[in-house]
């Protein structure tokens, strides 16, 4: 009987279990299942209710119920859609290239003097307004830059500008941000430091520091470096490693000295840096002593870290280390990045996701070691495996990049604009090689050429050489408008050179040139170009110049055919430099506290006179007071590319200064070539009569004086000299 009851109970229990699992939908229709749970049954998944649904109202929803200032759901959806569309922006979809048909011109909005502006943003606007890209006419502009300071978008900062979105939407040129470029250095705030700018950028491009790769829009945005407020407007200090020099063996292999964040974003990497410190060739020092409440958060390592931190000088570590750790801070970028580049201390980057500055153009694999924050402990062994010759190549590349693109605000801004310009003209854009080899993308103008063989710097890499002929460019400005016998003899001597392809005479006189019958008969074509009285016209890139080499002469030059041939042969071995006979050297006069020049024969030279010299064309005459002692001009040769650089790259103010002084064009051209090549000119030997003429003391040559004992006349060319 007991067994029977047991089987009946088990059968009943099994039936209910089967009915529950396979027929519960039917059971739920019975009245003993409460209807009030129907809503709960439909809310799926029940276990996630508290995470998916807020159990409280947002504070802004409780303020001023029904306030019309709050965006409507439709407005919020529109803003989200705009941000979504902006994140997909590319040049072909969000940039109106038709505005750039007349050239790449940039318009900056008029400055509002009542609105404060940071020093850094003022430098950025000045860099644009003083450049060859600038136009004061918005209808001519291809690109627009706001006058509203958008560099610091941290609401806790004193430079944070409020109500940006309302102001930019009132601008008639805004057009949802199309063809606009927005500069930014700091985005987001404590504690997460997101990359939000606090306003909708629409279809505008961002030139931004600390860019994360997931927010970076390739071929649209530009990643720029984080630079300090003290960063120079122009010029800038040179790198610590001299050009083409081998640095001595450094005391330290790897160094870091900086803040350690105890909590929050960026703290993980810096808190782990002490693990690689060995106190010998690897020095990694951090300090907790920063911020308002560091003592409240300090850990057991802080006191000892602070003591060790004071034992080393930061600048000394930079000077004496081969590699420098550049970890992320609160944001991805750091001032330390530019400091390491300048110091020729190879950056070891520990900032996962950072879109490196100008990565579209610069190959950072040749100048930096990109590490991973998660693999910090592998960094020492990794850099120890780098061969010495590659270490040297890394160091030299850091110096090139610093000088070419990062040493001043001007270079940072101009690099940004040139990258955008290359996107618009892909058929005339620079190759990655031009951006990463001397003299750099800013000095390899695509309007001249994009072919390596057309530049004087790349013959070795290209496996070619300059052309075997030259063009003689003679500037003639006779006061009476008639040809002198020395000028006629000069033309005949040059035309007899086996390397001369043609002679161009730049007639810089108000009177018309003599008729063709008055000019000498030559074996090469002789062309007269009607010029202006401006001295800078000598270096204009005339279309008639078709050879690589240009022989620059003036009507007072006295040369023999053999001298011309000899100088040209020398130039073909050094096509990137100026080659000439007559050399000068500059000096600093400590008593007068100004620069001066001397033509005395010394063991030093810094200038070759352009009144008779060879050079590569890329777009002077003599000047000075009446009765001044004048040297006999020699010869100068340079590549035609420098004519174009002289005309298109140099600031217009420098050329205007030369024209107003009617002098100093040789100084300006020598400075240009030296800045491009980082090399001095080459002096070739002269005949005895030239030596005797050049050895005379000179009180004036084109208004430039010698040492104080030779005369006290001031030099008008001083504004051209580096400070």
């Amino acid at each position: 009987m007991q067994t029977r009851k047991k089987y009946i109970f088990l059968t009943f229990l099994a039936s209910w279990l089967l009915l529950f699992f396979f027929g519960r939908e039917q059971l739920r229709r019975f009245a003993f299942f409460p209807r009030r749970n129907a809503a709960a049954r439909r809310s799926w998944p029940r276990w996630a209710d508290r995470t998916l649904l807020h159990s409280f109202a947002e504070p802004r929803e409780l303020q001023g119920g029904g306030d019309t200032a709050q965006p409507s759901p439709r407005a919020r959806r529109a803003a989200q859609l705009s941000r979504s569309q902006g994140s997909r922006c590319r040049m072909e979809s969000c940039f109106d290239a038709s505005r750039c048909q007349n050239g790449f011109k940039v318009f900056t909005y008029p400055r509002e003097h009542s609105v404060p502006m940071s020093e850094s943003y003022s430098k950025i606007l000045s860099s644009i307004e003083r450049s060859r890209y600038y136009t004061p006419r918005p209808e001519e502009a291809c690109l627009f830059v706001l006058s509203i300071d958008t560099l610091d978008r941290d609401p806790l900062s004193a430079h944070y500008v409020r109500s940006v979105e309302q102001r930019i939407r009132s601008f008639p040129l805004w057009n949802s941000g199309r063809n606009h470029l927005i500069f930014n250095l700091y985005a987001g705030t404590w504690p997460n430091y997101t990359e939000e700018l606090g306003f909708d950028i629409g279809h505008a491009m961002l030139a931004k520091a600390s860019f994360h790769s997931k927010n970076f829009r390739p071929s649209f945005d530009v990643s720029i470096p984080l630079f300090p407020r003290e960063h120079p407007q122009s010029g800038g200090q040179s790198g610590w490693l001299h050009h083409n020099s081998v640095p001595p063996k450094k005391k330290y292999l790897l160094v870091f000295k900086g803040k350690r964040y105890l909590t929050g974003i960026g703290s993980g990497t810096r808190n782990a840096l002490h693990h690689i410190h060995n106190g010998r060739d690897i020095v990694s020092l951090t300090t907790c002593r920063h911020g308002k409440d560091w003592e409240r958060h300090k850990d057991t390592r802080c006191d000892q870290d602070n003591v060790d931190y004071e034992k080393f000088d930061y600048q000394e570590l930079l000077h004496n280390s081969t590699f420098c750790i550049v970890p992320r801070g609160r944001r991805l970028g750091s001032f330390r990045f530019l400091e390491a580049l300048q110091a020729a201390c190879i950056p070891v980057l520990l900032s996962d996701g950072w879109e490196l500055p100008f990565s579209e153009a610069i190959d950072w694999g040749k100048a930096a070691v990109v590490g991973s924050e998660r693999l910090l402990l592998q960094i020492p062994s990794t850099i120890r495996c780098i061969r010495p010759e590659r270490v040297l190549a890394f160091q030299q590349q850091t110096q090139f990049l610093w000088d070419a693109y990062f040493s001043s605000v001007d270079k940072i801004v101009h690099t940004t604009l040139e990258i955008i310009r290359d996107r618009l003209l892909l058929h005339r854009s620079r190759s990655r090689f031009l951006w990463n080899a001397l003299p750099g993308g800013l000095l390899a103008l695509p309007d001249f050429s994009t072919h390596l063989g057309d530049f004087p710097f790349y013959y070795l890499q290209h496996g070619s050489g300059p052309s075997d002929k030259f063009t003689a460019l003679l500037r003639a400005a006779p006061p009476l408008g008639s040809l002198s016998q020395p000028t006629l003899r000069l033309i005949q001597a040059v035309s007899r050179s086996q390397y001369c392809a043609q002679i161009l005479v730049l007639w810089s006189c108000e009177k018309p040139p003599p008729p063709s019958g008055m000019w000498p008969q030559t074996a090469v074509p002789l062309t007269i170009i009607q010029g202006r009285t401006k001295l800078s016209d000598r270096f204009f890139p005339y279309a008639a110049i078709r050879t690589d080499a240009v022989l620059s002469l003036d009507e007072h030059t006295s040369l023999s055919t053999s001298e011309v041939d000899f100088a040209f042969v020398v130039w073909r071995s050094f096509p990137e430099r100026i080659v000439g006979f007559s050399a000068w050297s500059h000096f600093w006069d400590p008593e007068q506290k100004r620069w001066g020049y001397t033509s005395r024969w010394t063991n030093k030279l810094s200038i070759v006179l352009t009144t008779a010299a060879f050079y590569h064309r890329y777009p002077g005459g003599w000047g000075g007071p009446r009765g001044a002692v004048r040297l006999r001009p020699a010869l100068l040769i340079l590549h035609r590319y420098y004519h174009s650089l002289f005309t298109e790259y140099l600031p217009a103010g420098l050329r205007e200064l030369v024209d107003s002084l009617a002098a100093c064009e040789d100084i300006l051209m020598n400075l240009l070539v030296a800045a491009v090549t980082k090399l001095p000119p080459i002096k070739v030997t002269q005949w005895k009569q030239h030596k005797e003429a050049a050895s005379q003391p000179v009180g004036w040559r084109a208004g430039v004086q010698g040492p104080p004992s030779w005369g006290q006349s001031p030099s008008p060319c001083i504004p051209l000299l580096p400070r």
Side-chain angles (χ1 to χ4, degrees):
M1 189 68 181
Q2 295 294 332
T3 303
R4 184 181 178 184
K5 289 181 179 180
K6 183 185 297 184
Y7 282 117
I8 292 174
F9 175 75
L10 291 175
T11 302
F12 181 77
L13 180 61
S15 300
W16 272 101
L17 290 174
L18 290 173
L19 184 63
F20 179 79
F21 282 108
F22 296 103
R24 56 183 174 182
E25 290 299 327
Q26 288 76 11
L27 289 174
R28 287 173 182 169
R29 297 176 183 175
F30 287 90
F32 51 79
F33 284 96
R35 295 279 182 182
R36 57 187 174 85
N37 290 335
R41 291 196 302 271
R42 289 193 298 269
S43 178
W44 182 91
R46 296 175 63 187
W47 56 270
D49 283 351
R50 292 185 180 276
T51 59
L52 294 179
L53 301 177
H54 292 294
S55 60
F56 55 87
E58 294 288 346
R60 61 184 180 184
E61 297 175 359
L62 301 176
Q63 297 175 358
D67 187 359
T68 57
Q70 296 297 330
S72 65
R74 176 177 293 181
R76 288 197 293 269
R77 287 195 299 272
Q80 292 173 357
L81 180 61
S82 175
R83 285 192 291 270
S84 174
Q85 292 174 343
S87 66
R88 297 194 297 268
C89 271
R90 298 295 183 268
M91 295 296 289
E92 57 272 14
S93 60
C94 295
F95 193 92
D96 183 7
S98 64
R99 297 193 61 101
C100 309
Q101 293 179 354
N102 296 324
F104 184 73
K105 294 296 182 181
V106 184
F107 173 78
T108 59
Y109 282 63
R111 303 194 191 191
E112 302 177 27
H113 298 290
S114 59
V115 180
M117 180 182 296
S118 66
E119 182 180 349
S120 295
Y121 198 66
S122 178
K123 289 179 179 178
I124 288 176
L125 295 183
S126 296
S127 296
I128 298 173
E129 292 164 355
R130 295 186 297 106
S131 72
R132 65 181 185 276
Y133 318 102
Y134 176 69
T135 177
R137 299 168 58 86
E139 61 271 17
E140 297 177 351
C142 167
L143 190 66
F144 299 85
V145 177
L146 298 173
S147 61
I148 301 174
D149 188 349
T150 56
L151 287 188
D152 196 339
R153 300 306 298 159
D154 185 343
L156 301 179
S157 171
H159 296 291
Y160 181 78
V161 179
R162 304 186 183 279
S163 305
V164 171
E165 186 156 356
Q166 290 82 351
R167 294 171 61 187
I168 61 177
R169 288 185 182 277
S170 66
F171 296 153
L173 298 172
W174 175 243
N175 190 24
S176 298
R178 284 187 182 275
N179 292 54
H180 280 69
L181 178 63
I182 295 174
F183 287 89
N184 175 257
L185 295 182
Y186 308 97
T189 188
W190 171 268
N192 296 322
Y193 291 93
T194 61
E195 296 190 24
E196 290 292 330
L197 300 184
F199 65 95
D200 182 13
I201 65 172
H203 297 110
M205 292 182 287
L206 274 179
K208 184 178 178 301
S210 303
F211 234 135
H212 197 288
S213 56
K214 69 179 182 181
N215 298 320
F216 180 77
R217 297 169 293 182
S219 299
F220 192 72
D221 293 327
V222 181
S223 179
I224 63 174
L226 183 65
F227 59 87
R229 178 176 57 86
E230 301 81 13
H231 209 54
Q233 173 78 67
S234 59
Q237 296 180 350
S238 60
W240 294 359
L241 178 63
H242 295 295
H243 180 64
N244 286 337
S245 64
V246 178
K249 183 175 177 58
K250 302 294 185 71
K251 179 178 180 180
Y252 302 109
L253 175 69
L254 179 67
V255 300
F256 172 79
K257 183 181 181 184
K259 298 177 182 178
R260 175 161 71 90
Y261 303 118
L262 299 171
T263 59
I265 190 169
S267 59
T269 302
R270 297 202 176 203
N271 276 331
L273 289 174
H274 73 281
H275 289 296
I276 62 174
H277 173 79
N278 62 20
R280 298 184 300 276
D281 62 342
I282 299 179
V283 176
S284 181
L285 306 169
T286 59
T287 179
C288 310
R289 192 183 291 115
H290 60 89
K292 297 179 180 179
D293 54 353
W294 69 273
E295 291 187 346
R296 184 161 60 91
H297 296 287
K298 75 175 184 178
D299 54 23
T300 55
R301 287 192 5 243
C302 275
D303 291 336
Q304 185 59 46
D305 283 353
N306 293 339
V307 173
D308 295 339
Y309 186 84
E310 300 300 331
K311 294 180 180 179
F312 292 85
D313 179 73
Y314 177 63
Q315 294 297 326
E316 181 182 353
L317 289 176
L318 277 180
H319 274 284
N320 292 283
S321 181
T322 304
F323 295 88
C324 286
I325 301 177
V326 182
R328 65 162 298 156
R330 294 300 192 190
R331 300 176 178 87
L332 295 177
S334 167
F335 294 141
R336 194 178 310 273
F337 181 65
L338 292 187
E339 294 170 351
L341 283 182
Q342 183 184 9
C345 190
I346 303 169
V348 178
L349 306 177
L350 297 175
S351 186
D352 294 351
W354 184 20
E355 187 72 25
L356 295 180
F358 306 138
S359 55
E360 183 174 339
I362 295 177
D363 183 0
W364 285 107
K366 297 180 178 179
V369 177
V370 182
S372 171
E373 296 178 51
R374 295 170 297 175
L375 302 176
L376 170 64
L377 299 182
Q378 297 182 13
I379 294 296
S381 59
T382 299
I383 62 176
R384 290 185 194 278
C385 294
I386 302 178
R387 298 178 63 84
E389 59 270 21
R390 193 178 178 200
V391 169
L392 176 60
F394 269 85
Q395 291 172 321
Q396 292 177 337
Q397 190 71 359
T398 62
Q399 301 303 274
F400 158 65
L401 294 177
W402 164 260
D403 182 71
Y405 308 119
F406 299 109
S407 61
S408 67
V409 176
D410 280 357
K411 291 179 180 178
I412 293 173
V413 173
H414 294 174
T415 303
T416 302
L417 297 179
E418 286 292 341
I419 287 175
I420 297 173
R421 184 180 183 274
D422 275 2
R423 296 171 183 168
L424 296 170
L425 302 169
L426 292 177
H427 63 289
R428 290 167 56 187
S429 61
R430 303 164 182 83
S431 67
R432 200 166 174 85
F433 176 85
L434 291 177
W435 282 106
N436 291 276
L438 280 169
L442 295 183
L443 291 168
L445 301 187
D447 288 339
F448 176 77
S449 178
T450 57
H451 187 254
L452 296 183
D454 292 334
F455 294 93
F457 327 108
Y458 309 122
Y459 289 128
L460 182 61
Q461 296 93 327
H462 192 255
S464 62
S467 58
D468 56 0
K469 297 287 185 178
F470 68 83
T471 295
L473 181 60
L474 169 64
R475 182 177 184 269
L480 301 178
S482 59
L483 293 173
S484 63
Q485 288 300 315
T487 302
L488 297 175
R489 287 194 296 268
L490 175 63
I491 293 175
Q492 291 174 337
V494 172
S495 68
R496 288 193 293 267
S497 170
Q498 59 181 314
Y499 304 111
C500 183
Q502 61 176 337
I503 298 175
L504 303 180
V505 177
L506 179 61
W507 189 260
S508 300
C509 183
E510 295 180 356
K511 296 183 179 181
S516 57
M518 301 292 294
W519 295 90
Q521 296 295 320
T522 59
V524 296
L526 176 66
T527 305
I528 312 301
I529 300 176
Q530 183 64 55
R532 300 169 297 179
T533 58
K534 292 185 176 181
L535 205 56
S536 59
D537 283 354
R538 163 172 289 171
F539 300 127
F540 187 82
Y542 297 103
I545 302 177
R546 292 184 293 271
T547 60
D548 290 335
V550 179
L551 169 62
S552 179
L553 304 163
D554 79 0
E555 57 189 330
H556 303 286
T557 305
S558 176
L559 291 171
S560 66
T561 304
S562 59
E563 287 176 317
V564 174
D565 289 346
F566 174 62
F568 179 70
V569 170
V570 172
W571 177 84
R572 294 202 72 215
S573 299
F574 306 94
E576 75 280 12
R577 304 203 211 180
I578 296 178
V579 174
F581 285 116
S582 185
W584 290 55
S585 61
H586 69 281
F587 64 93
W588 175 255
D589 185 350
E591 296 181 0
Q592 301 293 331
K593 296 183 178 179
R594 64 189 183 195
W595 291 98
Y597 289 84
T598 178
S599 61
R600 286 190 180 276
W601 286 84
T602 65
N603 292 327
K604 296 181 180 180
L605 66 96
S606 56
I607 291 177
V608 171
L609 301 188
T610 58
T611 48
F614 277 110
Y615 52 89
H616 193 296
R617 74 166 172 88
Y618 196 91
W622 290 70
R626 183 179 298 275
V629 178
R630 309 182 86 175
L631 293 182
R632 177 178 303 205
L635 168 150
L636 181 144
I637 313 172
L638 71 162
H639 200 282
R640 64 192 177 99
Y641 177 65
Y642 295 118
H643 277 237
S644 295
L645 274 181
F646 190 91
T647 300
E648 299 174 22
Y649 177 76
L650 283 180
L654 291 178
R655 295 193 301 274
E656 292 170 359
L657 176 62
V658 165
D659 292 332
S660 64
L661 296 173
C664 311
E665 82 289 351
D666 46 7
I667 297 175
L668 187 55
M669 178 56 85
N670 275 266
L671 289 175
L672 172 63
V673 177
V676 171
T677 63
K678 307 298 184 292
L679 296 170
I682 292 180
K683 177 184 180 301
V684 293
T685 56
Q686 297 173 284
W687 296 117
K688 184 177 180 181
Q689 64 265 27
H690 295 146
K691 291 184 179 181
E692 291 174 350
S695 64
Q696 301 175 28
V698 178
W700 276 90
R701 186 278 178 192
V704 182
Q705 70 168 29
S709 59
W710 297 354
Q712 300 297 326
S713 301
S715 168
C717 301
I718 288 177
L720 296 175
L721 300 176
R723 292 293 187 265

